[in-house]
Amino acid sequence: MSIDGPDIVIETTGLTRVFTRRAGRGLRSLRRTALTAVDDLTLRVDAGEAVGYIGANGAGKSTTIKMLVGILVPSAGSVRTCGLDPVRDRRILARHVGVVFGQRSQLWWDLPVRESFAILAAIHRLRPSDATAREEELVARLEMGGYLDTPVRQLSLGQRMRAEVAAALLHRPRLVILDEPTIGLDVLSKQRLRQFLLAERAAHGTTLLLTTHDMGDIERLCDRVVLVDHGRAVHDGDLAGLARTVGARRELVVDLLAPSPDLVGIPHTVHLMSDGGGIRQRLAFDADATTAAQVLAAVASRAEVRDLTIEEPDIEDVVRRVYEASGRDR
Amino acid sequence: MCATVRPYWRLFVAGVRQQSTYRLAALGGLVTNATFGFLKAAMLFATVEAAGGELRGYDVGAMSAYVWLSQGLLGSVNLNGRTDFADRIKSGDVAVDFARPISPQGAALAGEVGRAVFTLVPRGLPSVAIGALVVGMTMPTSPGPYLLGLLSLLVGIVISHATAYAVNACGFWLVETRGVQVLYMVVSGFLAGLFVPVAFFPSWLLRIAEATPFPSMMMYPIDILSGRIHGPSATGLFGIQLGWLLVTLAAGQLLTAAGRRRLEVQGG
């Protein structure tokens, strides 16, 4: 369908968006300052990928998404989504993309949920038989049967979010973009939504781009993470790689046969704590400089090991480190 | 139905249904319209009688038709400048509109016109019925004026919403459009002939009014529907309306296209 070939769903090169802000009050408000929300972003997402697009508030996530679907016009750089120019081909592109803005609604507030689906089916020019089949599928998978005839304004947040997701997926988009879809949801609602999204991907091979502050979303749904900071992509890879970039350490917990002195001085490790007079000890090690096997060998040379566990860095912690490292001006 | 029109038709129907859920508000609107209708009738009838029973082509029966038709249209013709679209720009919900494979202007107008057309049922018709039963009004006796009048009425409603849309599209630049809305409300009510018939204007003011789309929103539909203007003159007025329809729609489209290039979605 384009020179890019059908397999690249998102491709940006040097994508940049600058907003002008008025500074000061009254007459002084004529002075303007430029704020670069997205800065020289180069990103490629292939068909079928599930990408977590994460970053602190104000990092430029939503602005990127809005440029990907042609809502915002880039200041510089290029963007192609589903092989199309989002600004020029906005309306054609909208048929291939489904977007959920977690804090906005695309449903008709005064009307029953069913009615919103019917309107959206018409907007996307679905054939009535296709629309009915798809609606039935979504209603069953998202368990919405109980409130199809309820006006949207009377739904709970969890019910409404499921309806929002269904509304975005009604036209079987190739690319689904979810901007904080689990914001404000309880644990059970989040879990349901994630299960649905996994099943939807498995069934239709949908490409997924997800922004969230919920690391559970990323861990369950995404096989790739792009971290943005001040409008720039500072990491692009898997979660483990992200942990390495911020120097997050893996931890080795050893249970020893007998109480032993603290295991200090092992290269590239830090002794964190000892329990039971030294029966259980916790060591943090730098995974780039050493390996679990080397650390274990060093430990075994000093004491006899009965059992061990290795703990991976906590993703929340990893992200907090990134935000803290660069976001002191927020 | 043609695939291009179907989404807008569906949004029009949605507008009708949305409006039908607010029955109490419609009743409140009707009571207000009728109250002011009686006031307006009292003042304008006194004016006509003081002028010797006829003023600029209006006798009491024609004046009554003007009063009750204008009051009946008030709920449907947008003379207050408010639109959902302005709120959507302000809140940033306009992002959702731009993420759909349709024209944001077309979608906004379809919904607004749907609501406006439904409003004719609980507010327009009763208002006219009150006038006809309580005061009596002169209306045409042949079907022609009613047919052209209904078309003219529909076009007038669309022009009013298209103009309000274009005015509110300034929100792409201003964000807060309340000032522009108030200006629109003051000018539109007067020039559309809501307070006194446009025929009562001094000639210089009449020329100003005729250079705006406002008389096409309410005055011309009333003139055609009440039979005050008929025959080729009525067709001519309708032609002028169609011209304004094109102009206001084009203005809204241009402003949307220009506004989108500098859109900054509010609220992230």
Side-chain angles (χ1 to χ4, degrees):
Chain A
M1 64 188 290
S2 74
I3 49 166
D4 293 328
D7 290 327
I8 304 174
V9 174
I10 296 171
E11 191 170 35
T12 75
T13 311
L15 187 64
T16 301
R17 172 72 202 225
V18 180
F19 292 113
T20 44
R21 288 275 172 272
R22 290 199 178 103
R25 288 184 172 191
L27 283 176
R28 285 167 56 212
S29 76
L30 293 173
R31 203 179 59 204
R32 285 155 185 264
T33 54
L35 179 101
T36 307
V38 175
D39 192 3
D40 196 24
L41 179 77
T42 297
L43 180 71
R44 173 182 161 155
V45 177
D46 290 340
E49 277 195 280
V51 179
Y53 193 57
I54 62 174
N57 291 325
K61 306 184 297 291
S62 291
T63 303
T64 307
I65 286 177
K66 285 174 186 122
M67 287 193 284
L68 291 179
V69 295
I71 296 169
L72 290 179
V73 181
S75 306
S78 73
V79 50
R80 289 186 86 75
T81 309
C82 298
L84 298 163
D85 173 349
V87 172
R88 199 192 58 208
D89 305 321
R90 178 185 70 80
R91 286 162 70 164
I92 307 168
L93 177 60
R95 296 206 210 164
H96 300 290
V97 182
V99 195
V100 174
F101 296 106
Q103 43 177 342
R104 307 191 186 284
S105 180
Q106 57 181 319
L107 306 168
W108 279 258
W109 197 241
D110 308 312
L111 300 176
V113 178
R114 191 191 294 281
E115 183 77 13
S116 284
F117 293 160
I119 298 168
L120 286 166
I123 285 177
H124 285 286
R125 304 186 194 177
L126 305 183
R127 273 179 306 180
S129 57
D130 282 354
T132 312
R134 179 64 167 158
E135 190 186 313
E136 279 169 7
E137 180 192 0
L138 291 168
V139 167
R141 286 217 197 144
L142 284 161
E143 298 168 48
M144 298 188 297
Y147 58 84
L148 271 184
D149 293 310
T150 309
V152 173
R153 62 183 138 85
Q154 292 173 11
L155 302 183
S156 72
L157 181 63
Q159 290 174 328
R160 186 169 71 75
M161 280 314 300
R162 277 182 278 156
E164 296 282 357
V165 170
L169 293 177
L170 195 64
H171 56 292
R172 301 176 199 272
R174 290 176 63 197
L175 170 64
V176 173
I177 299 180
L178 306 169
D179 192 357
E180 300 188 29
T182 55
I183 195 166
L185 294 189
D186 65 41
V187 178
L188 192 64
S189 302
K190 275 182 193 173
Q191 192 189 332
R192 268 188 187 161
L193 195 55
R194 288 170 186 156
Q195 279 167 353
F196 164 77
L197 290 169
L198 285 171
E200 176 71 17
R201 259 192 88 201
H204 301 288
T206 316
T207 308
L208 192 67
L209 182 72
L210 175 78
T211 83
T212 184
H213 292 296
D214 188 311
M215 291 309 137
D217 289 349
I218 301 286
E219 283 176 308
R220 306 275 159 70
L221 295 174
C222 302
D223 31 47
R224 178 178 158 200
V225 179
V226 176
L227 177 78
V228 276
D229 184 54
H230 288 91
R232 289 176 166 273
V234 293
H235 169 79
D236 187 348
D238 59 11
L239 264 178
L242 176 62
R244 281 196 297 275
T245 60
V246 294
R249 299 166 304 183
R250 303 173 78 189
E251 289 177 14
L252 175 69
V253 181
V254 284
D255 288 349
L256 306 174
L257 270 181
S260 307
D262 288 353
L263 296 162
V264 293
I266 297 171
H268 308 295
T269 68
V270 177
H271 174 262
L272 295 178
M273 53 155 274
S274 294
D275 267 348
I279 281 233
R280 167 173 288 185
Q281 303 205 16
R282 180 179 288 263
L283 305 170
F285 65 99
D286 179 354
D288 280 341
T290 184
T291 64
Q294 283 170 346
V295 177
L296 186 60
V299 170
S301 70
R302 296 196 198 175
E304 202 166 339
V305 177
R306 188 173 60 81
D307 197 5
L308 66 96
T309 53
I310 294 176
E311 292 179 4
E312 299 301 326
D314 177 33
I315 182 65
E316 301 264 359
D317 186 49
V318 169
V319 171
R320 188 166 53 241
R321 279 161 178 260
V322 177
Y323 292 1
E324 279 170 359
S326 60
R328 283 184 196 95
D329 54 342
R330 281 191 193 97
Chain B
M1 191 181 298
C2 163
T4 319
V5 180
R6 195 166 75 98
Y8 302 104
W9 170 251
R10 202 66 193 68
L11 286 164
F12 171 85
V13 173
V16 170
R17 291 195 185 154
Q18 270 178 317
Q19 199 61 26
S20 70
T21 60
Y22 294 105
R23 289 182 194 139
L24 208 60
L27 183 66
L30 174 62
V31 172
T32 314
N33 282 174
T35 311
F36 280 93
F38 283 113
L39 277 173
K40 207 155 112 180
M43 287 189 290
L44 289 171
F45 288 1
T47 311
V48 170
E49 276 154 17
E54 199 255 298
L55 180 61
R56 305 230 177 161
Y58 283 89
D59 57 17
V60 169
M63 187 53 85
S64 178
Y66 158 76
V67 167
W68 295 105
L69 285 172
S70 62
Q71 289 304 103
L73 290 183
L74 191 47
S76 303
V77 174
N78 187 336
L79 295 180
N80 59 33
R82 281 201 296 271
T83 64
D84 280 356
F85 189 69
D87 298 336
R88 294 181 73 79
I89 294 178
K90 198 174 150 192
S91 67
D93 283 350
V94 71
V96 174
D97 302 334
F98 276 110
R100 288 183 174 149
I102 50 171
S103 141
Q105 182 197 21
L109 287 180
E112 300 273 9
V113 171
R115 288 192 280 277
V117 166
F118 177 81
T119 305
L120 288 173
V121 178
R123 283 178 67 177
L125 292 177
S127 192
V128 174
I130 290 170
L133 295 174
V134 180
V135 189
M137 49 198 254
T138 310
M139 289 294 282
T141 47
S142 61
Y146 290 102
L147 202 65
L148 187 62
L150 280 178
L151 282 177
S152 163
L153 176 59
L154 196 63
V155 172
I157 288 173
V158 180
I159 293 172
S160 73
H161 288 280
T163 310
Y165 174 93
V167 166
N168 281 291
C170 297
F172 284 121
W173 291 267
L174 300 173
V175 179
E176 177 57 72
T177 53
R178 261 181 294 186
V180 192
Q181 279 176 12
V182 170
L183 188 67
Y184 176 92
M185 184 164 72
V186 171
V187 173
S188 69
F190 192 62
L191 296 184
L194 173 65
F195 307 120
V196 293
V198 171
F200 284 18
F201 289 176
S203 59
W204 63 269
L205 187 57
L206 187 62
R207 275 200 295 277
I208 292 177
E210 282 170 352
T212 71
F214 299 112
S216 291
M217 299 174 187
M218 184 178 261
M219 196 67 239
Y220 298 167
I222 293 174
D223 282 342
I224 296 173
L225 202 54
S226 67
R228 200 181 80 85
I229 308 267
H230 52 86
S233 311
T235 319
L237 279 189
F238 187 61
I240 292 172
Q241 279 190 294
L242 291 180
W244 280 116
L245 180 67
L246 289 179
V247 169
T248 53
L249 287 175
Q253 197 172 17
L254 285 174
L255 286 165
T256 310
R260 180 165 163 242
R261 296 213 72 89
R262 51 131 21 250
L263 176 67
E264 296 187 4
V265 174
Q266 308 296 319

